[in-house]
Amino acid sequence: MPSPLNILLVDDEMVRAAMVEEALMAEGHQVICRLASPANLNEMVERYQPDVVIIDMESPDRDTLESMALLNRENPRPVVFFADQHDSDMLKAALKAGVSAYVVDGLVPERVEAIVEVAIARFDAFHSMRQELDKARSQLAERKRIERAKGLLMKHQDCDEEQAYRMLRKLAMDRGQRIADVADSVVDVLGRLNTSSPQGRSADKREPRS
């Protein structure tokens, strides 16, 4: 038995929306907010914090796509979009805007439960992949900052790479900071010293010999 979900429903047809809400309630879920248009979608999601967003429209227009893209950036949620018409360009645009499931032929109450489950699974998988990618990018950026700091320490302290890293590690332990944060401070301080010193300025001004 799936866990009960809080759902935000966007549907401009009151009768159909009521039927969908009844079908969802029969499965133990709750529609905590119903909108006639997605104009304030991100604001309403932030206010009500639903588990899933269901949108039923003829086809996503530009304003709807912008609303979904804003939601995906600021308050990402599994989004199920039911469209009455098939349009491959709109399908691609909707998926790019963050839709987890795009279903053509309109919303049929009996199919909502299964489709929502698929959308949540897709959203969770994509969100996990994005977190892993962000983590990898962050780690790469940190390594680059540490390498930059080691290079400056090697130059200014006349030491080798291992000694420079030990200096960074000791500073981090003494300050109770991460090595990457200490590296930022070292790059900031030594970088300024390098550009403000007379030797640094004269070296910058010297022209290469022919």
Side-chain angles (χ1 to χ4, degrees), residues 32 59 74 102 144 199:
I32 58 175
S59 179
E74 298 190 358
Y102 189 98
K144 288 182 177 179
Q199 293 87 350

Side-chain angles (χ1 to χ4, degrees), residues 123-135:
F123 175 83
D124 289 343
F126 177 78
H127 191 62
S128 177
M129 288 174 57
R130 185 163 62 178
Q131 286 182 323
E132 289 297 323
L133 179 60
D134 290 343
K135 181 180 178 181

Side-chain angles (χ1 to χ4, degrees), residues 30-49:
Q30 181 180 5
V31 176
I32 58 175
C33 179
R34 189 197 296 179
L35 304 176
S37 80
N40 299 318
L41 181 59
N42 184 60
E43 179 184 342
M44 292 298 102
V45 167
E46 186 171 2
R47 178 183 300 179
Y48 290 98
Q49 296 295 310

Side-chain angles (χ1 to χ4, degrees), residues 63-112:
D63 291 339
T64 301
L65 292 171
E66 290 178 356
S67 295
M68 291 189 297
L70 177 63
L71 174 67
N72 190 45
R73 289 194 303 270
E74 298 190 358
N75 291 290
R77 293 290 191 284
V79 176
V80 182
F81 197 102
F82 291 91
D84 293 331
Q85 300 178 358
H86 174 71
D87 186 318
S88 58
D89 291 336
M90 284 300 179
L91 168 60
K92 293 176 182 177
L95 294 175
K96 185 177 181 181
V99 170
S100 305
Y102 189 98
V103 184
V104 183
D105 294 334
L107 192 158
V108 179
E110 293 76 14
R111 300 169 57 197
V112 171

